[in-house]
Amino acid sequence: LLVVRPDSGEPADIVVKVLDKLGDKFGTTTTSTGHKMLPPYIRIIQGDGVSYESLSTILEAMDKAGWAAGNAAFGSGGALLQKMNRDTQKCAFKCCQATVDGKPRFVYKDPVTDKGKQSKKGILKLVKRDGKLTTLTEGEGDESEDILIDVFENGKLLVDQTCDEIRARAALPCKDGTTV
């Protein structure tokens, strides 16, 4: 089974573009309603930009392009509730380096439709420079400066912390002197 997750771009457009590319590569059958259907081992899941309002727009675009709704599954996070998501907060957790055949390889995304979603690559370090937190990429910097700590590794808990300990370590000073 191959499930493709489109990322970035206008959801109604990007879903149809991905379906068209998959249809060109893997072929389609025709449903009883005359719509194109990918082979049963290929589907897409669209989560980016999905809300109660946008879902019908995406399905209408699929229908207009001749695609059956059964080709896609839909998911959504914060957009369904409070219109806040990882994009509004500029926060996402991604793989940034992998070892392939014993050699490190950068893993990153660089979407042509949204350069603001370009991810960091290589080994990352969080350091304090001139009083500000800064992320170093591609293995830069001295490991002793890294503020981040390993908590989980390969499914094992390395550091058992209480909620109070985490809150104390995460407390950040505000301009008015209070902490959050």
Side-chain angles (χ1 to χ4, degrees), residues 38-51:
L38 291 168
Y41 53 86
I42 301 176
R43 293 292 182 264
I44 69 167
I45 183 166
Q46 178 66 30
D48 190 40
V50 175
S51 66

Side-chain angles (χ1 to χ4, degrees), residues 4-145:
V4 177
R5 180 186 172 266
D7 192 28
S8 302
E10 186 58 40
D13 297 333
I14 203 77
V15 166
V16 171
K17 286 179 185 176
V18 169
L19 286 169
D20 287 342
K21 286 182 185 274
L22 290 171
D24 289 345
K25 294 289 181 189
F26 296 99
T28 61
T29 56
T30 303
T31 66
S32 61
T33 59
H35 292 87
K36 296 178 278 189
M37 184 63 111
L38 291 168
Y41 53 86
I42 301 176
R43 293 292 182 264
I44 69 167
I45 183 166
Q46 178 66 30
D48 190 40
V50 175
S51 66
Y52 179 78
E53 295 81 15
S54 69
L55 187 55
S56 62
T57 304
I58 298 167
L59 289 168
E60 286 171 14
M62 288 174 63
D63 182 45
K64 185 177 177 184
W67 286 102
N71 287 296
F74 299 94
S76 182
L80 284 176
L81 298 173
Q82 69 273 40
K83 299 289 185 201
M84 190 177 315
N85 56 46
R86 69 177 193 199
D87 293 337
T88 57
Q89 300 301 306
K90 293 288 186 192
C91 178
F93 295 90
K94 309 229 179 244
C95 175
C96 53
Q97 183 165 305
T99 302
V100 179
D101 294 328
K103 297 178 184 175
R105 182 180 292 180
F106 293 156
V107 178
Y108 63 99
K109 71 178 209 174
D110 189 8
V112 295
T113 57
D114 188 350
K115 289 295 181 186
K117 289 188 174 183
Q118 183 180 46
S119 64
K120 298 178 183 339
K121 53 185 160 182
I123 298 294
L124 306 179
K125 292 179 189 75
L126 183 66
V127 300
K128 203 170 228 183
R129 298 266 167 95
D130 300 321
K132 293 184 178 183
L133 293 175
T134 304
T135 303
L136 303 180
T137 62
E138 301 179 35
E140 295 175 333
D142 189 314
E143 199 163 316
S144 65
E145 290 182 281

